[in-house]
Amino acid sequence: MSIKRILLGVVVVGLIGGGIFGYLAYRTFFTPNTSFDNDEAIVFIPTDATISDLEEQLTPLVKDFSSFESAADRKGYLNKIKAGKYKLGKGMNNNEIVNSLRSGNIPVKVSFNNQENIYDLAGRIASQIEADSTSLVAAFDNKDFMKANGFDDANKISLYIPNSYEFFWNTSAESFRARMLKEYNRFWTDTRKEKASALGLKPNEVIALASIVHKETAKVDERPTVAGVYLNRLRKGMLLQADPTVIYAIKKETGNFDTIIKRVLYRDLEMDSPYNTYKYAGLPPGPIAMPDITAIDAVLNPKKHNYYYFVANVEKFGYHMFAENLAQHNRNKEQYIRWINAQKINR
């Protein structure tokens, strides 16, 4: 056999082999490899994920994980798996899937409000980002962090201003806390601080009072009036006598924050707790719940009036009747007592 024929044979075999290799490479990278019917699917890749974790997450979404693994390996992704939330489109090929997992980390919207303690807050946050509630509570409870930033065990929930924020899903507990500190400092603008100072209150005291206002009324338009009542009482040295603080004291004492109390009884007013504002003067040691921004701003922008008392308005549910003196208040209160007794609400 001549050298020419041998060389020709080698070339032919090489071309065939190259063609096969090229075809296999093309199929590995560019053949559609998704198995879901929706337009898109979401995949969550945990921190420090292994190939096994990747397989667990992707197997329900791709037709052939082995071909994906091969493509991911060739693109160097398997040595640098990135945690986060990612979107895969229907009909994506392995090349597109790897590219999406490498650079398409999607922010998630984290929302929270109305939490009564850090355990509830941690549970709420843990349902929206990767950090679990245990690590979040540990971060919230960190004594060094609290001391360094002017918080204590009673007012630590003041740091977390209710709102919606964007995070990456794989945010750690410490990173979440650090971001919330930035948001807290951003919220307390010079204008808000000046308003607090004019009231004789520190920011954390404003939040403590706002938590009471928040619990007293869900009506945003009424909150400045309610805030004005409590500020009038503080200025005059009167007890706040806020029922929500008594309810909180009961929950804190029992450790059961799921307790539903619709009526505060006279015996409750004797409870020896620093949160019982019928017994102890001034503000409670910290917030009795997480007030929303409208309640905080209601305290900072209270309605000026001469009211010192209020009671639920049974003719306009959700709102209250306000009074300048005790005699007027007692007349208003009689209507409420008759109504609540008629409803047979005993607790």
Side-chain angles (χ1 to χ4, degrees), residues 74-331:
R74 294 186 194 182
K75 288 174 72 70
Y77 173 75
L78 297 184
N79 294 323
K80 203 171 182 180
I81 299 172
K82 295 185 176 181
K85 175 185 177 182
Y86 301 93
K87 180 171 65 176
L88 304 183
K90 182 179 180 181
M92 271 187 171
N93 56 48
N94 288 328
N95 187 60
E96 293 169 324
I97 294 173
V98 173
N99 289 343
S100 180
L101 296 179
R102 175 176 280 158
S103 60
N105 198 358
I106 304 170
V108 296
K109 184 172 285 187
V110 175
S111 302
F112 58 90
N113 64 353
N114 302 338
Q115 311 303 312
E116 291 190 322
N117 54 68
I118 61 163
Y119 303 101
D120 289 345
L121 174 62
R124 173 72 177 145
I125 301 306
S127 69
Q128 300 175 78
I129 63 174
E130 183 183 19
D132 61 28
S133 57
T134 300
S135 64
L136 285 163
V137 168
F140 299 163
D141 260 341
N142 186 281
K143 304 299 181 186
D144 292 335
F145 173 84
M146 286 192 285
K147 184 177 180 180
N149 293 287
F151 297 93
D152 57 33
D153 193 59
N155 66 27
K156 59 194 172 190
I157 203 170
S158 302
L159 170 64
Y160 306 95
I161 304 296
N163 213 329
S164 293
Y165 305 93
E166 275 198 354
F167 285 88
F168 285 115
W169 173 79
N170 52 307
T171 298
S172 69
E174 291 75 16
S175 295
F176 175 81
R177 183 188 65 191
R179 167 72 180 283
M180 288 296 95
L181 178 61
K182 288 182 180 180
E183 295 295 343
Y184 176 88
N185 290 330
R186 184 179 290 120
F187 176 81
W188 282 104
T189 60
D190 289 341
T191 299
R192 283 192 170 107
K193 287 179 181 177
E194 288 167 4
K195 289 181 177 181
S197 180
L199 295 171
L201 300 174
K202 298 175 182 177
N204 287 346
E205 292 174 323
V206 170
I207 292 178
L209 181 53
S211 71
I212 298 173
V213 173
H214 182 107
K215 283 292 188 179
E216 287 285 15
T217 179
K219 302 297 184 182
V220 173
D221 60 325
E222 191 184 55
R223 284 177 172 170
T225 305
V226 172
V229 171
Y230 285 125
L231 288 166
N232 285 346
R233 294 179 78 91
L234 283 174
R235 280 191 286 266
K236 201 169 183 178
M238 299 171 65
L239 293 170
L240 291 186
Q241 296 184 326
D243 286 1
T245 66
V246 179
I247 294 171
Y248 179 82
I250 294 171
K251 291 181 177 182
K252 187 172 177 62
E253 178 71 19
T254 61
N256 184 5
F257 283 86
D258 293 326
T259 302
I260 297 176
I261 299 174
K262 295 182 178 181
R263 184 173 188 173
V264 173
L265 306 177
Y266 285 114
R267 68 170 183 266
D268 298 329
L269 307 184
E270 298 302 318
M271 186 176 185
D272 189 14
S273 167
Y275 288 91
N276 182 357
T277 56
Y278 278 84
K279 198 173 185 68
Y280 290 91
L283 293 166
I288 60 171
M290 181 183 289
D292 65 25
I293 292 174
T294 64
I296 298 172
D297 281 341
V299 173
L300 293 174
N301 303 278
K303 187 171 183 179
K304 294 182 179 180
H305 52 62
N306 295 319
Y307 298 137
Y308 289 90
Y309 306 89
F310 63 93
V311 68
N313 188 338
V314 298
E315 295 180 354
K316 193 177 181 183
F317 287 104
Y319 287 92
H320 294 79
M321 294 184 289
F322 296 86
E324 296 183 5
N325 56 63
L326 188 57
Q328 182 184 358
H329 173 64
N330 285 336
R331 288 194 296 271

